[in-house]
Amino acid sequence: QVQLVESGGGLVQPGGSLRLSCAASGSIFSIGAMGWYRQAPGKQRELVATITSGGSTNYPDSRKGRFTISRDNAKNTLYLQMNNLKPEDTAVYYCNANIRAYESGWYKGYWGQGTQVTVSS
């Protein structure tokens, strides 16, 4: 059983910073691309950033410069450093990863349970 667990969310004032983590555990053979998504109340889930197994990153233009995605392949952990946070960044942040389990011959997409980020004064 493969599991993704996010942590690091919370309440922060505008202009503040947070670092989210997503730890993958279980019967993992290999992890491919990983990413962060977010969903604000009443809105669709949207892409925050992605990173390949080799470390290549992709950000929507609106997130460039404030958010940094990274991963530690040895720890099977994904990170999201968020700086200069704004109230419109308030959302539940979800981790996504393409993982091949030992008992499987192919990659499958997994989601974490989400972590709440609230930006408010």
Side-chain angles (χ1 to χ4, degrees):
Q1 184 82 14
V2 173
Q3 191 175 19
L4 297 177
V5 178
E6 299 104 331
S7 60
L11 174 63
V12 62
Q13 291 186 342
S17 298
L18 280 176
R19 189 191 194 206
L20 305 183
S21 299
C22 171
S25 62
S27 180
I28 296 172
F29 177 79
S30 177
I31 302 178
M34 305 179 80
W36 288 99
Y37 295 75
R38 69 185 186 185
Q39 187 166 19
K43 295 187 177 181
Q44 290 188 330
R45 191 171 297 189
E46 63 177 0
L47 171 69
V48 175
T50 61
I51 185 168
T52 67
S53 57
S56 296
T57 59
N58 179 59
Y59 304 88
D61 288 342
S62 60
R63 245 79 71 192
K64 287 182 179 178
R66 295 195 301 123
F67 291 7
T68 302
I69 189 171
S70 62
R71 62 192 284 172
D72 185 331
N73 291 331
K75 296 181 179 180
N76 288 341
T77 301
L78 177 71
Y79 303 99
L80 183 69
Q81 177 66 43
M82 303 185 293
N83 298 325
N84 190 24
L85 284 162
K86 304 176 181 180
E88 51 265 39
D89 294 318
T90 295
V92 178
Y93 284 70
Y94 296 92
C95 169
N96 172 267
N98 291 311
I99 297 175
R100 179 183 170 185
Y102 274 105
E103 59 270 21
S104 174
W106 56 86
Y107 285 85
K108 176 184 174 182
Y110 291 85
W111 290 92
Q113 83 289 351
T115 185
Q116 177 70 47
V117 171
T118 302
V119 185
S120 175
S121 55

